[in-house]
Amino acid sequence: QVQLVESGGGSVQAGGSLRLSCKGSAYSYSNFCMSWFRQTPGKKREGVAAIYTDGLETAYADSVQGRFTISLDNAVNTAYLQMNSLKPEDTALYSCAAGPSREWCLQLSPVEWHYWGWGQGTQVTVSS
């Protein structure tokens, strides 16, 4: 079973930056997807960014393109989400997931069963 733990959330003013980390056990697989999602109360889970290890292909939601960067460090079994130029609408609970499918990965599929496992999430709050 894949276990994932997020960290790095916090409170920041608009225009600021945060870097989220997702440490997990999916790195024993040869190829896999690491994805970041966010959710606010009453709204559906939204795919934010994803990276597939074979070729390091990435995908981003339009709302974060150019501001967020996803990366992967296999040496420390950690995926990162660098978030710059944060906006109040980026406020959410951010969680990471790991899964096997390149297609679902790059489509930012929010379907829970498309992934081996999910983290508990880390809160990001951006004030204006």
Side-chain angles (χ1 to χ4, degrees):
Q1 182 178 0
V2 171
Q3 296 186 342
L4 303 167
V5 179
E6 302 94 339
S7 62
S11 297
V12 64
Q13 289 192 327
S17 298
L18 285 173
R19 189 177 77 158
L20 306 184
S21 300
C22 173
K23 188 172 179 62
S25 58
Y27 305 84
S28 59
Y29 296 91
S30 57
N31 288 303
F32 56 91
C33 169
M34 292 296 298
S35 300
W36 284 97
F37 298 85
R38 64 187 182 188
Q39 191 168 18
T40 55
K43 292 189 176 181
K44 292 182 179 180
R45 180 186 291 139
E46 175 191 17
V48 174
I51 185 167
Y52 190 72
T53 54
D54 186 13
L56 293 180
E57 295 178 272
T58 58
Y60 295 93
D62 290 344
S63 57
V64 307
Q65 182 75 47
R67 300 188 297 122
F68 290 12
T69 303
I70 189 170
S71 61
L72 190 63
D73 188 342
N74 286 332
V76 292
N77 293 349
T78 301
Y80 301 99
L81 184 68
Q82 177 66 44
M83 307 187 295
N84 298 329
S85 302
L86 283 161
K87 304 175 181 180
E89 51 263 44
D90 294 320
T91 295
L93 181 70
Y94 284 72
S95 57
C96 62
S101 169
R102 175 185 174 278
E103 181 179 4
W104 291 332
C105 178
L106 298 180
Q107 291 176 352
L108 299 177
S109 171
V111 178
E112 193 163 326
W113 67 265
H114 285 177
Y115 300 88
W116 293 314
W118 294 75
Q120 293 299 307
T122 185
Q123 179 67 35
V124 171
T125 302
V126 184
S127 58
S128 57

